[in-house]
C-alpha cells in the first residue's frame, strides 16, 4: 500500500465547504438534515465552559429498543447524534429520525463496518487556524506479534468539524483503522472508534480534551459480547444490506464472497456523514484509494450468530492478532497535518498561552508582545494553578530557551534600545526589566511590576501620558512596551570591574603530535585558517571584525607564537614547564588579522613543515586550556579557545588521564562512572575559565579511546561545543571537519554571559539543563553562548496561581557582543493557568516534553544506574497518561488505551529516547560515543532532539523529479522500505542513502554513474556530480538537509543486504533494536499495561 498516496482534491480541513455552509450541513444527499448542536466546550486550546448537563436541543436520544441492550453498551457523547437512523426498506425500532443514514457503496467488500461520525460542531475558531480533530481508535493490542493478516479498510466518511469527544464504533474494534488527529488538506478526516457506545454521555466536570484510543481485549479488559475485532469472513454484520443504494446512485450490487453471510436481526447502524467521494474507501493513513480486502486466516468465534444483544458463548481461542502499525499514532501524519493546518498563516504572538506550530512546520512569527517560539518553547502553555494539580498530572513544567537563536531572513532581529546613562528601567524589588506586561498607574507616573506587584516610580525622562485604556500613548514606539523580545545597551554598571570590555579574542591551539601530523590534519587545518580568518564574526555593518587572534601548538610542551605586524617572520617561544603554566609573551601574541596578515600566513605555512618529522606521540591537555585562559586574562578580554586534539593526554602534567574504558561495566551499578570525569581537576579549570569569560570549543580526532567524558567537561561548563571525528582521514572526513570549523568560527557568540530567568509569583525556576556553569541557584553563567545552544529551565510551584492573571516568564541575558559591546537581551512570555486538568493536557507540546525528558535522563545517568533512569522515564510517562485517562477521558472499557490528542506521540518518542545509545547501547557503540552524545543532547534545541530521536526517512523516487519540494517522509521502520526505491535518512548528525536491491537500472545510472546495483560502492560518501535531473535533485536535497542542521552530516551510501545495513537499521526507530529496545508496537502495549496497573 502506498502510504503517501495523494487524495483527490477537497476543500481544506477546517474551512466551510459549499455543501456545509458555516459548518452546518443542510442535509445529506439532498435530504433535509437536523442542524448540528452547538459544541459543548470551547475550541481546542481554548477555555472550557461548564459542561452541559443535558443534551443540547436537537440531539436525538437513542430510540427505545425492543431488545435488551448488550452488556457492552456505553454511551455516546453529549452533542452527538445517537443511533437509530435508517433508510428505505430497513426495519427500525422506535421513531424515525429526520437524518437519513449513509449507505455502503455497493462496490465495497464485505467486512467493512461504518463508524459513528464526528458530529459537525461549530468550533470557536482560534486565531491560528482550526483544531485537529480527535481520534479515539480501537485496536487489538493482543499478542504483540510482528506478523499477521491485513484487516479490511473502512468505508469513506465525510468531514466533521470542531473538537469532538470520544467517538463510538458500530460494533467493535478495527486494528488497522487508527487514523490520528487532523489530516492533510484535501483528505477526509478519519473517524475515531471506541467500544460500542449507545445513548448519551454522562455529564462530566470538564469537557475532555481530544483523545486517541485503542482497545485491547486480550489485556484483561471485559470482553464485549459485541464483536471486538475486525469483521471476519464467515461472519455477517447486522446492518443494512450492502447492495442498497447509497443516497443518489451507486455501483450495482456485488455478490457475497464465499463464506460471507448476512445474519441475525439488523443491529443499529450509526449515522454517517455524506462522503464527498463515493466509491473510494478510507485507508489506514487517511488517504483514499483502492481498499484492502477482508482479513484471511481468521476463524469466526460466533459463526452465523447475531453480533447484537446476544450473550457470550464459551470463549473460543482466537488466533493472535497483530496490532497494525497503521492503527497507531504516526509521527509522520501528525507532522504533515500540522504543516497543512498551520504552515500557511503567520504565528502572531499577541495572545497569551497560544501553543505554537510544531518545530517541523515552517512558519513566520510576528512578535506582538510574547517571545517567538524560536526563542522559548514550553512543555505546556497552560499550567496548573496549584502544585497538587501539577503533582497529580506529573507533566513537567519546563521551558527550552534559546536566547541567541538565529532567525530566518524574513524576521527582524530584536531591536536594540539605548536608554543612555540611566540604563534600562527595572523593578526596584525583583529587578525585572521593563516589558509589555508592566501596568502603568496614576496617569503614568508609576508602574506596578507584573512579576512581584511592587509599585515603582517612573523616572521623569521616561514619563509618558496614558490613553483611555490605561496604555501609554508611546507603547508602540517602544520595543520594550510592545514586543516580546528586544535588547538594551548595558551601562558600565553591568560590566566587570566597572569598565567596558575589550573586544574578544580567538586562540587556535593545535595538537602537533605524531598522530595529528601523520593523518594530514595539521596541514589541512593550517591551509584552511589562512582563508577562514577573513570571516571572523563582526557586528552588522562593520568593515572588519574586532576580534584578535593568537596561535599555540603543543604536544608534551607548548609553543607560543609572536605574530606582531612589525616582524618579518613569526617567533616561537617554548614553555616546557607544563606544571606551572604561564604565557611567555604579551605584546604580539593576540593581533588584528588585517594588520598581521603576512606574518600569520607565514606561520601557517611553516607549522606543518616544522613538525613534519616529529616522533612525539604523547600530549598534554589541561595545561593547554590553562595557557589560553592566562593569555586572555593578561589581555583583559573574554574569548574562545579552538582546541584541535587527537589522543588521550597521558604525558606527565596536570590533568593527566589513564585509559579506563571498560565495557564490562555496562548494565552494572558502576556504569555511571563511564559518564563521570576521571578527575576533579577539569571542573576546577572550567570554573576559572568561566570567571575569565574563556569559552572552549574542542575538536577531537581520536583513533582510540580519549575519555570524552573527561575532556568535554571544560567545553560543557564554559558553554562551548565538542566535535568528534573518529579515525579521521583527510580524503573521507575533510569536508565534514572544514564545514563544522567554518560554521563554528563564523557563528555569532555572546561572551562572558550571565542569564537569569524571573517568574511571576506562584512559580519559580528550580532546575537548569545545558552547557553552562552555576555558582549559585539563580544565575546561569556562560563564558560563551552561541545561536545553537539552549538552556532548559524547570519550574515548580511555590504558591497558588491565578487563572485570570496567568503566569509570566522573563529571561534576561547579559553578554558581550563580538564587537565588545555589553548588552542585555530580554525575552518575555505569558502563559495561561488552569484549574481543570483537561486544559493542561490540551495545551502541551510533546516535542518540548521529550526534549526535557531526554535531558533529565541524560543527566540522571551521571549518578544512577541506567536501568533506574529508564524505569523512571517509563513510570513518569505512564503517570501522565493514566492521570489523563482517569480525569479527562470519556468513560470507556479498560481494554482501551486512550491518549490525549497533544500527547499521542509521547509513547513513540519516549521509546526512541529509551532505545538511544546513552540509555541502551548496542555492542558497536563505544564509551566515548555515549559520552559524546550525552553532552551533545544536553544543549540541543527542540527541533534537533525531534529529528535526533525520530529520524526522517525520505523516499526519493516516489515524488516527481521536477518537484522542487522535499518528498513526504515515511515512518522510520523497515516495513516502509521498498527494495525498488532509494531512501535518504537523516537525524541531524548522520545522513544515509539506502539503495534497494531492485532499483531500476536507469536510476542507478543517473545517481551513481554505474550500470548495475552490484557496482555501487558501499560506504561511498560523495555522490558523483552528474548532469541529469535525478542527480541534481538528490544532491540538492542533501545540501538543503545539511543547511537545516547545525552540524555537517556526512553521507554514507548503504546497499540493501550489505554489512553497513546494520548501522542504517539502528536508526529505524519504530522497529525492535539489536540492543534489546522494544518496537513501537510492543512499547505501546507495555505502556498500556503500565497505565492499567496504575489505574487499578
Amino acid at each position: 500500500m502506498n502510504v503517501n498516496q495523494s487524495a483527490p482534491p477537497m476543500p481544506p480541513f477546517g474551512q466551510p465547504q459549499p455543501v456545509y455552509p458555516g459548518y452546518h450541513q443542510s442535509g445529506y444527499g439532498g435530504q433535509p438534515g437536523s442542524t448540528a448542536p452547538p459544541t459543548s466546550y470551547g475550541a481546542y486550546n481554548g477555555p472550557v465552559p461548564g459542561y452541559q448537563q443535558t443534551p443540547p436541543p436537537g440531539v436525538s436520544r437513542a430510540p427505545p429498543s425492543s431488545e435488551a441492550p448488550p452488556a457492552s453498551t456505553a454511551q455516546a457523547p453529549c452533542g452527538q447524534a445517537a443511533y437509530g437512523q435508517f433508510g428505505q426498506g430497513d426495519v427500525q425500532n422506535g421513531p424515525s429520525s429526520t437524518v437519513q443514514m449513509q449507505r455502503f457503496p455497493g462496490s465495497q467488500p464485505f467486512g467493512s463496518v461504518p463508524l459513528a461520525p464526528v458530529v459537525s460542531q461549530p468550533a470557536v475558531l482560534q486565531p491560528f487556524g482550526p483544531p485537529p480533530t480527535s481520534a479515539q481508535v480501537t485496536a487489538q493490542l493482543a499478542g504483540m506479534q510482528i506478523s499477521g493478516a491485513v484487516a479490511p479498510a473502512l468505508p469513506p466518511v465525510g468531514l466533521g468539524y470542531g473538537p469532538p469527544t470520544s467517538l463510538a464504533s458500530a460494533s467493535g474494534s478495527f486494528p488497522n483503522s487508527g487514523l490520528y488527529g487532523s489530516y492533510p488538506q484535501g483528505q477526509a478526516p478519519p473517524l475515531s472508534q471506541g467500544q460500542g457506545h449507545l445513548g448519551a454521555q454522562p455529564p462530566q466536570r470538564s469537557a475532555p480534551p481530544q483523545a486517541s484510543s485503542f482497545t485491547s481485549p486480550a489485556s484483561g479488559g471485559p470482553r464485549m459480547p459485541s464483536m471486538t475485532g475486525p469483521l471476519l469472513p464467515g461472519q455477517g454484520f447486522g446492518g443494512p444490506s450492502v447492495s442498497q443504494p447509497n443516497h443518489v446512485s451507486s455501483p450495482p450490487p456485488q455478490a457475497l464472497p464465499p463464506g460471507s453471510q448476512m445474519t441475525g436481526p439488523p443491529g443499529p447502524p450509526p449515522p454517517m456523514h455524506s462522503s464527498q467521494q463515493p466509491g473510494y474507501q478510507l485507508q489506514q493513513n487517511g488517504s483514499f484509494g483502492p481498499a484492502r480486502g477482508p482479513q484471511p486466516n481468521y476463524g469466526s468465534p460466533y459463526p452465523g450468530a447475531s453480533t447484537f444483544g446476544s450473550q457470550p458463548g464459551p470463549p473460543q481461542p482466537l488466533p493472535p492478532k497483530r496490532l497494525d502499525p497503521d492503527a497507531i499514532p504516526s509521527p509522520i501524519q501528525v507532522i504533515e497535518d500540522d504543516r497543512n493546518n498551520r504552515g500557511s498563516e503567520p504565528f502572531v504572538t499577541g495572545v497569551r498561552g497560544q501553543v505554537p506550530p510544531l518545530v517541523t512546520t515552517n512558519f513566520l512569527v510576528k512578535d506582538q508582545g510574547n517571545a517567538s517560539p524560536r526563542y522559548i518553547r514550553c512543555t505546556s502553555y497552560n499550567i496548573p494553578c496549584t502544585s497538587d494539580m501539577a503533582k497529580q498530572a506529573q507533566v513537567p513544567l519546563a521551558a527550552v530557551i534559546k536566547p541567541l537563536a538565529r532567525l530566518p531572513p524574513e524576521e527582524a532581529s530584536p531591536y536594540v534600545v539605548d536608554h543612555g546613562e540611566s540604563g534600562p528601567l527595572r523593578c526596584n524589588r525583583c529587578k525585572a526589566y521593563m516589558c509589555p506586561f508592566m501596568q502603568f498607574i496614576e496617569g503614568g507616573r508609576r508602574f506596578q511590576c507584573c512579576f512581584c506587584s511592587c509599585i515603582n516610580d517612573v523616572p521623569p525622562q521616561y514619563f509618558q501620558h496614558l490613553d483611555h485604556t490605561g496604555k501609554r500613548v508611546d507603547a508602540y514606539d517602544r520595543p520594550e512596551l510592545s514586543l516580546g523580545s528586544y535588547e538594551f545597551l548595558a551601562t558600565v554598571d553591568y560590566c566587570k570591574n566597572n569598565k567596558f570590555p575589550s573586544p574578544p579574542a580567538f586562540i587556535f591551539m593545535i595538537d602537533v603530535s605524531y598522530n595529528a601530523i601523520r593523518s594530514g590534519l595539521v596541514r589541512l587545518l593550517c591551509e584552511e585558517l589562512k582563508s577562514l580568518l577573513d570571516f571572523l564574526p563582526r557586528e552588522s555593518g562593520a568593515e572588519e571584525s574586532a576580534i584578535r587572534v593568537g596561535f599555540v601548538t603543543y604536544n608534551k610542551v607548548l609553543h607560543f607564537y609572536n605574530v606582531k605586524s612589525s616582524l618579518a617572520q613569526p617567533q616561537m617561544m617554548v614553555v616546557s614547564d607544563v606544571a606551572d603554566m604561564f604565557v611567555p609573551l604579551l605584546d604580539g601574541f593576540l593581533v588584528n588579522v588585517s594588520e598581521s596578515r603576512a606574518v600569520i600566513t607565514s606561520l601557517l605555512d611553516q607549522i606543518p613543515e616544522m613538525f613534519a618529522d616529529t616522533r612525539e606521540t604523547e600530549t598534554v591537555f589541561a595545561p593547554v586550556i590553562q595557557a589560553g585562559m592566562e593569555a586572555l586574562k593578561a589581555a583583559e578580554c573574554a574569548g574562545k579557545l579552538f582546541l584541535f586534539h587527537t589522543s588521550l593526554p597521558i604525558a606527565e602534567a596536570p590533568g593527566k588521564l589513564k585509559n579506563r574504558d571498560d565495557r564490562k561495566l555496562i548494565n552494572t551499578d558502576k556504569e555511571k562512572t563511564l559518564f563521570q570525569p576521571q578527575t576533579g581537576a577539569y571542573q576546577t579549570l572550567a570554573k576559572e575559565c568561566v570567571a575569565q569569560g574563556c569559552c572552549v570549543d574542542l575538536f577531537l580526532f581520536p583513533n582510540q579511546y580519549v575519555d570524552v567524558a573527561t575532556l568535554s567537561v571544560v567545553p560543557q561548563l564554559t558553554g562551548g561545543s565538542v566535535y568528534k571525528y573518529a579515525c579521521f582521514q583527510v580524503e573521507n572526513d575533510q569536508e565534514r571537519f572544514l564545514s563544522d570549523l567554518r560554521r563554528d568560527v563564523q557563528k555569532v557568540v555572546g561572551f562572558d554571559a550571565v542569564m537569569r530567568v524571573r517568574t511571576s509569583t506562584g512559580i519559580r525556576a528550580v532546575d537548569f539543563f545545558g552547557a553552562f556553569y552555576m555558582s549559585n541557584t539563580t544565575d546561569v553563567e556562560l563564558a560563551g553562548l552561541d545561536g545553537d545552544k539552549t538552556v532548559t529551565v524547570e519550574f515548580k510551584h511555590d504558591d497558588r496561581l491565578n487563572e485570570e492573571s496567568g503566569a509570566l516568564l522573563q529571561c534576561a541575558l547579559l553578554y558581550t557582543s563580538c564587537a565588545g559591546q555589553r548588552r542585555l537581551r530580554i525575552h518575555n512570555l505569558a502563559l495561561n493557568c488552569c484549574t481543570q486538568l483537561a486544559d493542561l493536557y490540551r495545551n502541551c507540546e510533546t516535542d518540548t516534553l521529550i526534549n526535557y525528558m531526554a535531558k533529565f535522563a541524560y543527566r540522571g545517568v551521571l549518578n544512577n544506574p541506567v536501568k533506574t533512569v529508564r524505569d523512571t522515564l517509563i513510570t513518569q510517562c505512564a503517570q501522565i497518561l493514566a492521570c489523563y485517562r482517569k480525569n479527562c477521558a470519556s468513560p470507556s472499557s479498560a481494554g482501551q488505551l486512550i491518549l490525549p490528542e497533544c500527547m499521542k506521540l509521547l509513547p513513540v518518542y519516549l521509546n526512541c529516547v529509551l532505545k538511544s545509545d546513552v540509555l541502551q547501547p548496542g555492542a558497536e557503540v563505544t564509551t566515548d560515543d555515549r559520552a559524546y552524545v550525552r553532552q551533545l543532547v544536553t544543549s540541543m534545541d527542540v527541533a534537533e532532539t525531534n529529528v535526533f530521536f525520530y529520524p526522517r526517512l525520505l523516499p526519493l523516487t516516489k515524488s516527481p523529479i521536477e518537484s522542487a519540494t522535499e518528498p513526504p517522509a515515511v515512518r522510520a521502520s523497515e516495513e516502509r522500505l521498498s527494495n525498488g526505491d532509494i531512501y535518504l535518512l537523516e537525524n541531524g548528525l548522520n545522513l544515509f542513502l539506502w539503495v534497494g536491491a531492485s532499483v531500476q537500472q536507469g536510476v542507478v545510472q543517473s545517481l551513481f554513474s554505474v550500470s548495475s546495483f552490484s557496482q555501487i560502492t558501499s560506504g561511498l560518501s560523495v555522490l558523483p556530480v552528474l548532469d541529469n535531473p535525478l542527480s541534481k535533485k538528490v544532491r540538492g536535497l542533501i545540501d538543503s538537509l545539511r543547511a537545516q542542521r547545525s552540524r555537517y552530516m556526512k553521507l554514507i551510501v548503504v546497499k540493501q543486504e550489505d554489512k553497513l545495513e546494520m548501522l542504517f537499521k539502528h536508526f529505524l526507530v519504530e522497529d525492535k533494536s539489536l540492543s534489546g529496545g522494544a518496537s513501537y508496537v510492543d512499547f505501546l502495549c507495555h505502556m498500556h499495561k503500565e497505565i492499567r496497573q496504575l489505574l487499578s
Side-chain angles (χ1 to χ4, degrees):
M1 183 192 84
N2 180 358
V3 180
N4 298 305
Q5 213 158 296
S6 61
M10 276 180 71
F13 170 61
Q15 290 179 12
Q17 300 183 32
V19 189
Y20 307 140
Y23 302 147
H24 287 283
Q25 295 181 344
S26 56
Y28 300 102
Q31 297 159 0
S34 58
T35 52
T39 179
S40 49
Y41 56 88
Y44 177 64
N45 293 346
V48 180
Y51 203 77
Q52 291 172 327
Q53 300 298 317
T54 55
V59 178
S60 52
R61 288 269 186 199
S65 168
S66 59
E67 270 185 304
S72 66
T73 294
Q75 296 170 311
C78 232
Q80 185 174 312
Y83 287 8
Q85 280 81 349
F86 291 78
Q88 314 97 295
D90 279 340
V91 180
Q92 180 183 335
N93 299 326
S96 167
S97 157
T98 51
V99 181
Q100 284 290 332
M101 180 214 157
Q102 157 117 7
R103 300 256 183 280
F104 292 71
S107 61
Q108 290 172 355
F110 293 83
S112 297
V113 181
L115 303 178
V118 181
V119 173
S120 301
Q121 296 174 332
V124 183
L125 288 179
Q126 307 156 33
F128 49 81
T133 69
S134 121
Q136 173 165 333
V137 176
T138 59
Q140 300 292 0
L141 293 184
M144 303 188 194
Q145 299 215 349
I146 295 303
S147 60
V150 182
L154 301 171
V157 290
L159 278 150
Y161 298 93
T165 47
S166 294
L167 299 173
S169 86
S171 70
S173 352
F174 303 87
N176 67 334
S177 51
L179 303 151
Y180 288 81
S182 46
Y183 8 82
Q185 216 159 301
Q187 282 180 246
L191 290 187
S192 58
Q193 299 152 258
Q195 77 282 22
H197 288 278
L198 296 168
Q201 180 97 355
Q204 283 180 286
R205 278 184 309 111
S206 81
Q210 308 179 342
S212 306
S213 70
F214 313 85
T215 298
S216 166
S219 51
R223 189 94 207 191
M224 263 81 72
S226 61
M227 199 178 72
T228 56
L231 210 64
L232 313 174
Q235 201 174 347
F237 169 65
S241 154
V242 177
S243 62
Q244 286 180 337
N246 181 12
H247 299 319
V248 195
S249 64
S250 82
Q254 181 179 317
L256 287 166
S260 291
Q261 48 188 118
M262 306 303 266
T263 58
M272 298 272 304
H273 282 191
S274 169
S275 169
Q276 296 293 302
Q277 294 98 334
Y280 279 103
Q281 291 192 319
L282 187 66
Q283 289 192 343
Q284 287 88 337
N285 63 345
S287 57
F288 288 92
R292 289 184 177 184
Q295 295 201 38
N297 308 330
Y298 277 64
S300 164
Y302 313 105
S306 163
T307 56
F308 278 90
S310 54
Q311 291 304 310
Q316 300 275 330
L318 277 174
K321 295 192 194 69
R322 175 204 179 189
L323 181 58
D324 185 341
D326 282 327
I328 54 182
S330 156
I332 303 305
Q333 189 68 49
V334 170
I335 288 168
E336 198 55 41
D337 294 344
D338 195 76
R339 280 184 181 153
N340 291 330
N341 294 331
R342 307 195 60 184
S344 51
E345 292 294 311
F347 178 70
V348 181
T349 71
V351 181
R352 184 177 84 187
Q354 278 186 99
V355 183
L358 298 181
V359 284
T360 43
T361 299
N362 280 328
F363 60 99
L364 271 181
V365 179
K366 289 191 175 168
D367 185 342
Q368 290 192 0
N370 283 293
S372 161
R374 303 193 204 289
Y375 295 123
I376 306 180
R377 276 188 180 264
C378 296
T379 52
S380 179
Y381 289 80
N382 202 334
I383 57 182
C385 281
T386 64
S387 58
D388 290 348
M389 196 171 151
K391 282 186 193 124
Q392 187 184 358
Q394 286 287 315
V395 177
L397 304 176
V400 180
I401 306 174
K402 198 174 177 185
L404 297 178
R406 289 189 314 281
L407 301 179
E410 311 84 66
E411 293 175 24
S413 295
Y415 289 98
V416 181
V417 180
D418 185 359
H419 281 315
E421 295 200 358
S422 61
L425 187 56
R426 305 176 68 177
C427 168
N428 293 328
R429 184 197 288 160
C430 70
K431 302 294 179 214
Y433 293 87
M434 180 52 69
C435 71
F437 311 124
M438 297 286 190
Q439 189 66 46
F440 287 88
I441 53 174
E442 295 180 23
R445 286 187 293 280
R446 306 173 92 183
F447 71 91
Q448 182 168 22
C449 176
C450 51
F451 293 93
C452 69
S453 304
C454 175
I455 308 277
N456 298 269
D457 289 329
V458 174
Q461 73 274 15
Y462 198 77
F463 173 78
Q464 186 54 267
H465 294 286
L466 308 184
D467 64 14
H468 64 286
T469 64
K471 255 187 136 159
R472 283 174 56 120
V473 294
D474 65 348
Y476 293 106
D477 302 330
R478 290 187 176 273
E480 74 272 23
L481 299 181
S482 55
L483 298 178
S485 302
Y486 42 87
E487 289 199 326
F488 291 120
L489 282 188
T491 59
V492 75
D493 308 336
Y494 292 86
C495 304
K496 256 185 204 163
N497 309 325
N498 273 4
K499 63 186 234 190
F500 284 112
S502 309
F506 283 178
I507 304 176
F508 296 91
M509 315 187 94
I510 305 166
D511 175 349
V512 288
S513 64
Y514 175 73
N515 279 341
I517 296 291
R518 189 197 60 182
S519 68
L521 168 65
V522 174
R523 188 173 295 279
L524 177 70
L525 175 59
C526 290
E527 259 325 296
E528 178 62 26
L529 284 177
K530 288 183 203 170
S531 55
L532 187 55
L533 293 176
D534 291 330
F535 298 98
L536 298 178
R538 56 181 173 218
E539 283 295 317
S540 54
E543 286 284 308
E544 58 178 48
S545 175
I547 292 172
R548 293 168 295 163
V549 297
F551 300 89
V552 174
T553 56
Y554 69 94
N555 39 45
K556 260 166 66 168
V557 296
L558 276 75
H559 323 105
F560 292 79
Y561 297 92
N562 184 345
V563 281
K564 200 172 179 181
S565 57
S566 56
L567 296 174
Q569 283 295 321
Q571 295 172 346
M572 178 206 256
M573 295 185 182
V574 180
V575 177
S576 51
D577 183 5
V578 288
D580 184 21
M581 186 43 63
F582 68 97
V583 181
L585 76 160
L586 280 179
D587 191 30
F589 178 62
L590 293 178
V591 297
N592 181 292
V593 175
S594 55
E595 288 171 11
S596 298
R597 161 77 57 202
V599 194
I600 291 172
T601 304
S602 170
L603 170 66
L604 293 172
D605 283 337
Q606 289 175 40
I607 287 175
E609 308 307 328
M610 270 192 286
F611 299 99
D613 302 323
T614 187
R615 287 285 168 267
E616 185 55 74
T617 56
E618 292 188 355
T619 57
V620 294
F621 187 72
V624 184
I625 296 175
Q626 182 85 36
M629 184 194 66
E630 296 292 348
L632 293 177
K633 193 183 274 183
E636 295 185 340
C637 69
K640 187 184 267 199
L641 312 182
F642 295 84
L643 246 83
F644 304 90
H645 188 81
T646 59
S647 56
L648 193 68
I650 53 172
E652 276 309 321
K656 174 187 173 181
L657 301 177
K658 60 178 190 290
N659 187 334
R660 55 164 187 164
D661 190 17
D662 186 359
R663 288 195 63 83
K664 290 198 285 293
L665 297 182
I666 291 176
N667 293 327
T668 69
D669 282 355
K670 288 191 175 167
E671 184 174 5
K672 59 190 176 201
T673 59
L674 298 175
F675 297 108
Q676 296 165 353
Q678 263 187 60
T679 155
Y682 287 95
Q683 267 121 327
T684 312
L685 180 57
K687 191 174 165 182
E688 291 171 26
C689 286
V690 172
Q692 184 47 50
C694 167
C695 173
V696 179
D697 278 0
L698 175 60
F699 292 79
L700 285 171
F701 305 87
N703 291 332
Q704 54 201 40
Y705 178 74
V706 287
D707 199 349
V708 173
T710 305
L711 297 189
S712 64
V713 166
V714 178
Q716 178 78 5
L717 291 177
T718 59
S721 305
V722 179
Y723 298 85
K724 180 166 161 284
Y725 309 89
C727 304
F728 180 82
Q729 293 175 302
V730 169
E731 58 278 12
N732 289 340
D733 301 297
Q734 149 178 357
E735 196 180 353
R736 179 175 157 223
F737 163 56
L738 294 182
S739 175
D740 284 343
L741 175 64
R742 287 168 194 148
R743 202 167 179 282
D744 197 60
V745 168
Q746 294 174 39
K747 65 187 172 190
V748 174
V749 181
F751 294 96
D752 207 2
V754 183
M755 184 180 114
R756 182 177 280 196
V757 178
R758 292 178 174 84
T759 53
S760 54
T761 312
I763 52 169
R764 63 195 169 90
V766 291
D767 208 352
F768 299 84
F769 304 81
F772 52 77
Y773 176 74
M774 290 186 82
S775 55
N776 58 38
T777 56
T778 54
D779 293 342
V780 175
E781 298 173 47
L782 303 122
L785 174 68
D786 62 54
D788 298 324
K789 298 277 189 312
T790 65
V791 176
T792 301
V793 188
E794 187 184 4
F795 303 98
K796 289 262 163 72
H797 287 76
D798 56 8
D799 204 347
R800 193 184 164 85
L801 291 165
N802 183 334
E803 256 187 303
E804 279 173 32
S805 52
L808 303 175
L809 317 177
Q810 185 179 77
C811 162
L813 178 79
L814 175 64
Y815 71 99
T816 302
S817 75
C818 53
Q821 197 175 51
R822 204 70 175 145
R823 290 183 176 180
L824 279 154
R825 180 168 288 200
I826 313 294
H827 298 296
N828 304 290
L829 185 64
L831 301 173
N832 286 331
C833 297
C834 58
T835 52
Q836 300 290 343
L837 283 165
D839 291 331
L840 164 69
Y841 283 102
R842 204 179 280 122
N843 292 276
C844 287
E845 198 191 19
T846 302
D847 293 326
T848 311
L849 206 52
I850 288 294
N851 180 285
Y852 165 83
M853 290 172 122
K855 290 171 181 176
F856 179 81
Y858 281 18
R859 186 175 68 184
V861 298
L862 290 173
N863 305 307
N864 304 283
V866 170
K867 185 180 184 312
T868 309
V869 173
R870 289 165 48 80
D871 291 345
T872 305
L873 280 184
I874 292 172
T875 306
Q876 180 168 20
C877 180
Q879 285 174 327
I880 290 171
L881 298 176
C883 173
Y884 172 81
R885 172 70 190 257
K886 185 178 170 187
N887 298 289
C888 308
S890 321
S892 56
S893 123
Q896 279 186 312
L897 170 58
I898 299 188
L899 302 172
E901 179 66 22
C902 284
M903 286 189 194
K904 66 188 177 198
L905 298 182
L906 190 60
V908 61
Y909 286 162
L910 183 72
N911 190 36
C912 297
V913 175
L914 295 171
K915 293 200 298 192
S916 62
D917 291 339
V918 173
L919 299 182
Q920 196 163 33
E924 74 295 339
V925 181
T926 67
T927 306
D928 274 348
D929 286 335
R930 295 177 75 195
Y932 173 64
V933 167
R934 196 196 75 78
Q935 61 82 33
L936 204 57
V937 167
T938 306
S939 49
M940 273 187 183
D941 73 6
V942 180
E944 286 171 324
T945 51
N946 173 274
V947 77
F948 178 73
F949 290 115
Y950 193 94
R952 288 164 78 194
L953 184 61
L954 306 170
L956 298 185
T957 56
K958 297 258 172 70
S959 56
I961 289 182
E962 60 281 357
S963 160
T965 56
E966 246 171 49
V970 294
R971 294 169 72 163
S973 167
E974 198 177 344
E975 283 189 354
R976 309 287 165 168
L977 299 177
S978 145
N979 59 6
D981 206 348
I982 295 180
Y983 296 81
L984 260 183
L985 181 143
E986 64 117 357
N987 75 340
L989 298 180
N990 309 85
L991 188 60
F992 295 93
L993 186 71
W994 184 88
V995 186
S998 314
V999 167
Q1000 290 173 0
Q1001 191 183 340
V1003 171
V1004 171
Q1005 184 73 47
S1006 298
L1007 268 187
F1008 302 101
S1009 194
V1010 296
S1011 54
S1012 70
F1013 173 79
S1014 58
Q1015 292 175 303
I1016 299 171
T1017 311
S1018 182
L1020 191 71
S1021 59
V1022 181
L1023 290 180
V1025 178
L1026 303 173
D1027 189 16
N1028 66 65
L1030 182 64
S1031 176
K1032 286 177 182 169
K1033 179 181 175 174
V1034 172
R1035 285 182 290 110
L1037 178 61
I1038 289 171
D1039 290 342
S1040 88
L1041 291 178
R1042 284 173 173 158
Q1044 292 168 27
R1045 305 295 170 212
S1046 61
R1047 292 178 182 231
Y1048 183 88
M1049 298 183 291
K1050 177 182 167 183
L1051 179 72
I1052 300 175
V1053 173
V1054 178
K1055 292 164 69 177
Q1056 189 176 3
E1057 306 296 333
D1058 186 80
K1059 59 182 189 297
L1060 270 175
E1061 201 182 25
M1062 296 309 289
L1063 178 62
F1064 170 77
K1065 283 181 181 175
H1066 175 69
F1067 297 98
L1068 300 177
V1069 288
E1070 288 199 19
D1071 301 336
K1072 234 188 187 88
S1073 69
L1074 287 172
S1075 54
S1079 69
Y1080 174 20
V1081 167
D1082 289 351
F1083 183 71
L1084 202 58
C1085 296
H1086 176 69
M1087 214 61 236
H1088 189 203
K1089 206 166 79 190
E1090 293 280 323
I1091 292 167
R1092 293 185 61 178
Q1093 279 175 348
L1094 285 173
L1095 291 174
S1096 60

